[in-house]
Amino acid sequence: MADTGAVAARRCDSCSSSSVSMETISGLTELEDLEKIYQQLCAEEKEVEAELDRLVGQEGTIHTKMLALQRMGPNLQLIGGDASQLSGMITFTCSLAENVSSKVRQLDLAKTRLYNVIQRTDDILDLKFCSDGVQTALRNEDYEQAAAHIHRYLSLDQSVIELSRQGEESSAVDASLVMLQEAEQKLKVIVAEKLDEAVAAVDLAQVERFFKIFPLLGLHQQGLARFGQYLCSQLASKAEENLLLATGGELGEKRALMIFADTLTLLLEGIARVIETHQPIVETYYGPGHLYTLITHLQQECDRQAQKIVDKFIQQRGYHNKFQIVQSSMMKSLPGERIEPRELDPVLAEVTLMNARAELYLRFLRRRMTADFEVGDAQSITQEHQQNVEKLLKHCLLSTTMQELIGYYIPMEEYYMRESVNKAVAMDSYEKGQLTSSMVDDCFYIVKKCISRALSSSSIDCLCAMINHANSVLESDFREVLYNKLRQGFPATTLQDIQRGVSSAVSLMQSSLQQGKFNTLGIESTENAKAAFLNDCCKLFSQGGGSGDQAKIESCLSDLVNTSTKFKDLLQEGLTELNTTAIKPQVKPWISSFLVISHNIEEEEFNDYEANDPWVQQVIINLEQLMAEFKMALSPVIYDHLTSRMTTLISSEMEKTVLKCSFSRLGGLQFDKELRSLVAYLTTVTTWTIRDKFARLTQMATILNLERVTEILDYWGPNSGPLTWRLTPAEVRQVLALRIDFRSEDIKRLRL
Amino acid sequence: MSMEDYDYLFKIVLIGNAGVGKTCLVRRFTQGLFPPGQGATIGVDFMIKTVEIKGEKVKLQIWDTAGQERFRSITQSYYRSANALILTYDITCEDSFRCLPEWLREIEQYANNQVVTILVGNKIDLAEKREVLRQRAEDFAEAQSMLYLETSAKESDNVEKLFLDLACELIREAKQNKLDNNDTAPMPGEGKTISYLSCCSLN
């Protein structure tokens, strides 16, 4: 129905929406317009007709749909009835279910209560059983059993017990409770007494027996304290024995030097062993996390015994006395009581060994305690636990005592190093055939030894401090020594005097040699040493040291590398000096003798030169002699540096000299030949490429060899090909002007 | 060596009596923390912080030393290579102030003579417990030609300023040194006098 209404409305719509209104039509006067409008209206009419046809065609389908709908009506009514019936059913079921579940809840409640009742009766029964059991167990001296009963009683819910007392059977329960409490007190006293007895009797089996009972009575701390006390007394007697043995002195020569370190090692190893053997008992009967408490007790004894050993060590070795002597002789250079560095050797080694042992022991403790906490609960290793452990380890007397010892050790080691280096410098000797004097090797050996010893103490701070000192000794003292030697090597007045020149060259060599050694040992080896040391340190401290410690060492070592750079600079300075004082005065006249040889020559002289070389062979022979001397005495690296400097010198001197000469065509050819032999010779003696250094001279020779002035243009500018000119146009003109047969107008006219 | 991503590298060493707050100053500056209940430092601690000053990256290597007597010989070994020393005392502790001359003697003996020293009075958050008057400390610092600053590591007062001022001063000196050295550097090759960098000479 609605459909037809909509169609009507549409029709009405299309009616009014006709594009042409009546008014417009009546307003039209022109025939043409009328015809147009008529056409338009006709078209519209056709459209409307088509639309109507379409709508009429739809009528059939609409009708069938209507019929189907009408048939559906009664079905729908049926569905409505069913649905309301279903809803009623559901409501009913729901209420039923609620009903049932409330009953179930009640049942559940009843059940839990029942359980509670059973539990409580169990507990009460237990209580009775316990109180009976304790009595018999105590009578039979079966303390384990008694303790087990007490433990059972203690683990009962206290509130349950309270409740039971309010019940009807209160008197009976009360009685057993009182009895149990009494028994508990009694047992505690007995166990404590028995343990004390066992401790006094040094009966390990009994000690362990009663030690195991304590946690059952809830007396963890007391048990650990008493057990700790027992272990301490054991340790103390053993340690005293060892110390007596140590001071008795019936030992071999070798051990005697290290006896205190050995005694300390025995003590610490003993404690470690005790911890190792008793950790399982503590863990089993006391639960994890209690090792810390036991170790706290043991550490007290350890501190006491270690202090005794260290006191004896200080007393017998005169440690403080030695330190004071060292300190006073370092403070002022006055000749007072001095101490031979060598005398310090054993005591320094002993101290580092003691510290290393202590560090090892403390690392062991840390590992054990953390592991024990972790077993308890890996997540619950709280900040507090960590802090406790750190505090115990860092501030125990053993640590502070060791820190004090190291505090004295460092200045002594520094003194040892400084004095030994000074001695090595003083005893410096130079053996023939040896490239370096003894001093360099000796000094580095000493420095290395001191650092290694500091490293062997396992104390990172100690190691860093010694690296710092080593650095200061090398950078200031030792560098000063080398510098002074270097300066003595170049007396400024010897330049003309050949005789003295030679001798100065010898002393020069000697000092540069030392630096030669530095070049290989000092510079490369500091880098190597740094890597090697760092490697060692990593290995050593990987258990205990964090990344911070490694950064510390690395920073200190990099200072050492800086020092090696300073030595490198010193070497360069030395080479410069050597070059200017020993080589330049000799080489210069050889080169300038070139001036005497005329290069303004004709065919005949050229041939004569060919037969009897006027200059270059002599120069080469001279150079060979000069360099042979150096080659023998200098290390290869230094020799290479020196020859490089020499070739630079020769090329610049040659250049200056050539510009003072004049050349004929054949003279140019002669010069070219001479230059070639010189370069060929120098190439054989150096490992550096020297072609580059002689590039300008070679180009000058090329210019002097030209046929005509304009021939230069074949090589210049766009024609230069692979050749890169090192001479400026002005210089090219200058060289061209050296040829007497080139006219200056031609040269001027050149466009370069 | 690692990439050198900085323009300057300075070593700063903190010294002073035990318990004046050296570690707290360093922690405050490098990590922004104030750890209460800080235990005594063992030996020497080492921290790095890179700051930027006027567009230049400055890497500060800060060595935090233990104040206790038994570590003295370890801490002394760091003086020589230090560019700057921060001498710290506690304004609520007269004793720590009275020990300053002793510390200055140590500096005199072990540090290189170009070192920049700054006096720092820490713990100004505890003003009501102050035992050392500011004027007194200022006079003392002036007499020793040191810079002076009062800080609180707890309240983070002046801590940043302390290290940044120091860095600025060090940069200034480094630039000055560079100029001086250029003036006196011998001509390469011909020089007879080989000038020493003054920082290398023993005092």
Side-chain angles (χ1 to χ4, degrees), chain A residues 403-457:
Chain A
Q403 285 158 4
E404 255 164 47
L405 282 186
I406 289 295
Y408 292 125
Y409 159 81
I410 291 169
M412 279 156 89
E413 185 76 275
E414 187 198 354
Y415 172 81
Y416 177 89
M417 180 164 67
R418 226 173 258 278
E419 288 294 302
S420 305
V421 165
N422 285 344
K423 214 181 216 173
V425 170
M427 296 188 352
D428 187 21
S429 70
Y430 170 64
E431 273 174 47
K432 251 199 141 56
Q434 209 63 28
L435 282 185
T436 50
S437 62
S438 63
M439 175 182 101
V440 180
D441 267 345
D442 289 352
C443 289
F444 269 89
Y445 172 76
I446 292 160
V447 169
K448 238 168 165 171
K449 178 180 171 181
C450 291
I451 293 182
S452 302
R453 188 150 55 195
L455 180 62
S456 75
S457 77

Side-chain angles (χ1 to χ4, degrees), chain B residues 15-203:
Chain B
I15 53 174
N17 275 18
V20 298
K22 296 181 291 296
T23 303
C24 288
L25 281 172
V26 175
R27 287 289 200 94
R28 169 60 77 189
F29 177 64
T30 55
Q31 300 170 331
L33 300 173
F34 180 76
Q38 181 71 37
T41 307
I42 304 286
V44 176
D45 268 344
F46 168 66
M47 304 255 187
I48 284 180
K49 180 156 174 163
T50 307
V51 294
E52 203 172 303
I53 290 171
K54 291 178 198 143
E56 288 181 298
K57 283 228 169 76
V58 183
K59 189 166 167 183
L60 299 177
Q61 250 188 25
I62 304 168
W63 296 86
D64 169 29
T65 66
Q68 284 161 313
E69 184 68 39
R70 63 175 182 278
F71 298 110
R72 221 33 72 81
S73 71
I74 291 174
T75 57
Q76 281 162 359
S77 78
Y78 288 89
Y79 283 44
R80 201 186 59 92
S81 60
N83 300 105
L85 295 170
I86 298 180
L87 176 52
T88 319
Y89 76 95
D90 174 0
I91 62 150
T92 69
C93 174
E94 171 76 27
D95 251 8
S96 70
F97 184 77
R98 241 183 282 153
C99 281
L100 292 180
E102 198 185 311
W103 286 105
L104 288 174
R105 264 198 299 284
E106 284 217 347
I107 295 173
E108 178 77 17
Q109 190 182 350
Y110 299 105
N112 76 62
N113 42 19
Q114 285 201 325
V115 74
V116 176
T117 311
I118 184 164
L119 182 65
V120 168
N122 193 27
K123 304 196 187 175
I124 49 170
D125 49 289
L126 302 174
E128 72 281 5
K129 289 193 198 157
R130 188 187 268 274
E131 287 182 9
V132 182
L133 290 178
R134 193 194 175 100
Q135 190 57 46
R136 213 173 126 208
E138 270 172 359
D139 291 347
F140 178 78
E142 200 181 333
Q144 304 291 337
S145 58
M146 286 186 287
L147 304 167
Y148 179 66
L149 206 60
E150 294 202 338
T151 59
S152 161
K154 188 177 181 187
E155 307 288 335
S156 196
D157 264 356
N158 273 346
V159 176
E160 199 87 352
K161 180 175 160 57
L162 163 66
F163 286 96
L164 295 185
D165 280 4
L166 207 49
C168 285
E169 174 68 17
L170 287 170
I171 291 176
R172 207 181 55 73
E173 299 227 336
K175 284 185 174 157
Q176 186 66 40
N177 262 346
K178 219 173 177 182
L179 278 179
D180 289 353
N181 284 336
N182 281 349
D183 285 349
T184 56
M187 291 303 288
E190 299 290 328
K192 281 282 175 289
T193 52
I194 298 166
S195 86
Y196 262 113
L197 297 180
S198 38
C199 60
C200 306
S201 64
L202 259 188
N203 36 341

Side-chain angles (χ1 to χ4, degrees), chain A residues 430 435-436 508-517 633-635:
Chain A
Y430 170 64
L435 282 185
T436 50
L508 280 176
M509 273 177 237
Q510 199 180 329
S511 55
S512 350
L513 307 174
Q514 280 151 6
Q515 288 164 57
K517 193 64 185 176
L634 292 172
S635 71

